[in-house]
Amino acid sequence: MDETTQLMLRGVCRGLHLAGYFTAFGTMFLSALLLNGVTVRGHKTLVWAGCGLAILAGAGWFLFQTAYFASTNNLSAIIAALPIVAQDTRFGGLLLGRLAVLLLAALLFQANRPRAAALLGFGGVVAEAWLGHGGAMAGWEGTVLLGSAIMHLAAAGIWLGTLPGLCLAIAVVAEPGPLARRYSPLGGLCIAMLLLTACIQYALLIARPGAFLTSAYGAVALGKILLFGGLILLAARNRLYLTPTLPETRPALLRAIGAEMALGLLVLLAAGILLQLEPPAMAGIT
């Protein structure tokens, strides 16, 4: 397996891991905050599905990351290195710890304790920040990047993570209008936070606009920006045109949320790949 293929596989596994983690946490958050602790039919299954995806993709990420650390494609050597990575690296400890937290949160949700589950899941979501560039850098830049990554993950987990649960709830509740109207300000706040933190991260990691066209990191980042722009347009359409006229527009809103979920998955896959690449500011690319 060549280096580029291994990098892509690590990135895809990381993106899918985030998608599963966000889905499980977001469903808990939606139930705890916007549904006042009520669990809609199908939400418990959705949490387990997200948890399963996070575990399976996390296992793949762990395996490919171990191969990267050990600089080998030999399966026996990779398996031998797994305990070392689990015990002696920040990556291994954080990934396994976050998965344990997610499992505990899922069990709490099944026991009809959505608020405790959401709080625990939130901790697992933001802990991902220590596996990014901010967690590895020293000095004021590392501190700023870590803080922005925490806010970025929180906003992404709440917005993208709640979309599957929101879609399910709007499909089954008798009166979807009040839920959709309560959700809109929260989605807007998350979008604003994502835009702000993305600007901070790109200013520190990409540094110059020309790097969007002269580096692999910049090209993937540009693709992620375009996908995010599509997400914002869909969210704006939902809020301005579809939500005010519910329940008549329920089918159209469900289709639009489905499109948001698809774009959101692509954004997370792009983010997973992006985090495997060296930022232009670190590589000296202009």
Side-chain angles (χ1 to χ4, degrees), residues 105-126:
L107 290 172
L108 285 171
F109 192 75
Q110 304 307 309
N112 299 315
R113 298 185 61 186
R115 292 182 175 88
L119 184 61
L120 200 60
F122 180 77
V125 166
V126 298

Side-chain angles (χ1 to χ4, degrees), residues 2 46 52 61 73 81 115 122 172 186 205 221-222 230 245 250 284-285:
D2 61 59
L46 187 58
W61 181 18
N73 289 322
R115 292 182 175 88
F122 180 77
V172 301
L186 177 66
L205 295 174
L222 184 59
T245 53
R250 187 189 326 228
I285 298 173

Side-chain angles (χ1 to χ4, degrees), residues 199-224:
C199 288
I200 292 171
Q201 291 172 21
Y202 290 161
L204 290 175
L205 295 174
I206 294 180
R208 296 188 181 184
F212 281 108
L213 303 176
T214 58
S215 67
Y217 187 98
V220 176
L222 184 59
K224 184 185 171 192

Side-chain angles (χ1 to χ4, degrees), residues 28 149 158 164 169 173 180 242 258 260 277 284:
M28 299 171 195
I158 291 171
V173 299
L242 300 180
E260 279 191 77
L277 299 169

Side-chain angles (χ1 to χ4, degrees), residues 93-111:
L94 270 175
L95 180 58
L96 295 177
R98 289 174 58 254
L99 287 175
V101 164
L102 183 61
L103 276 173
L104 180 56
L107 290 172
L108 285 171
F109 192 75
Q110 304 307 309

Side-chain angles (χ1 to χ4, degrees), residues 184-275:
S184 290
L186 177 66
L189 178 62
C190 289
I191 289 171
M193 187 177 293
L194 285 167
L195 286 170
L196 174 63
T197 53
C199 288
I200 292 171
Q201 291 172 21
Y202 290 161
L204 290 175
L205 295 174
I206 294 180
R208 296 188 181 184
F212 281 108
L213 303 176
T214 58
S215 67
Y217 187 98
V220 176
L222 184 59
K224 184 185 171 192
I225 290 169
L226 294 175
L227 290 168
F228 184 62
L231 270 172
I232 293 175
L233 290 175
L234 277 173
R237 176 175 176 265
N238 293 349
R239 181 171 184 176
L240 297 175
Y241 298 108
L242 300 180
T243 296
T245 53
L246 283 169
E248 290 79 7
T249 53
R250 187 189 326 228
L253 182 59
L254 291 175
R255 289 193 296 271
I257 295 174
E260 279 191 77
M261 287 190 286
L263 275 179
L265 177 58
L266 292 176
V267 167
L268 292 177
L269 291 175
I273 294 170
L274 196 64
L275 287 164

Side-chain angles (χ1 to χ4, degrees), residues 12-145:
V12 168
C13 286
R14 185 170 190 167
L16 290 174
H17 167 76
L18 283 175
Y21 213 114
F22 283 3
T23 296
F25 158 70
T27 305
M28 299 171 195
F29 182 89
L30 185 76
S31 176
L33 187 68
L34 297 182
L35 295 173
N36 299 316
V38 175
T39 302
V40 171
R41 186 177 73 252
H43 272 180
K44 289 184 177 181
T45 301
L46 187 58
V47 166
W48 279 127
C51 194
L53 177 58
I55 292 171
L56 289 174
W61 181 18
F62 193 94
L63 188 69
F64 289 121
Q65 192 69 38
T66 299
Y68 173 74
F69 286 152
S71 300
T72 182
N73 289 322
N74 182 275
L75 185 59
S76 298
I78 294 170
I79 292 173
L82 289 175
I84 299 172
V85 173
Q87 296 174 19
D88 298 336
T89 67
R90 174 190 290 179
F91 165 79
L94 270 175
L95 180 58
L96 295 177
R98 289 174 58 254
L99 287 175
V101 164
L102 183 61
L103 276 173
L104 180 56
L107 290 172
L108 285 171
F109 192 75
Q110 304 307 309
N112 299 315
R113 298 185 61 186
R115 292 182 175 88
L119 184 61
L120 200 60
F122 180 77
V125 166
V126 298
E128 168 80 14
W130 276 266
L131 293 176
H133 298 299
M137 291 176 63
W140 71 268
E141 289 182 333
T143 301
V144 171
L145 281 173

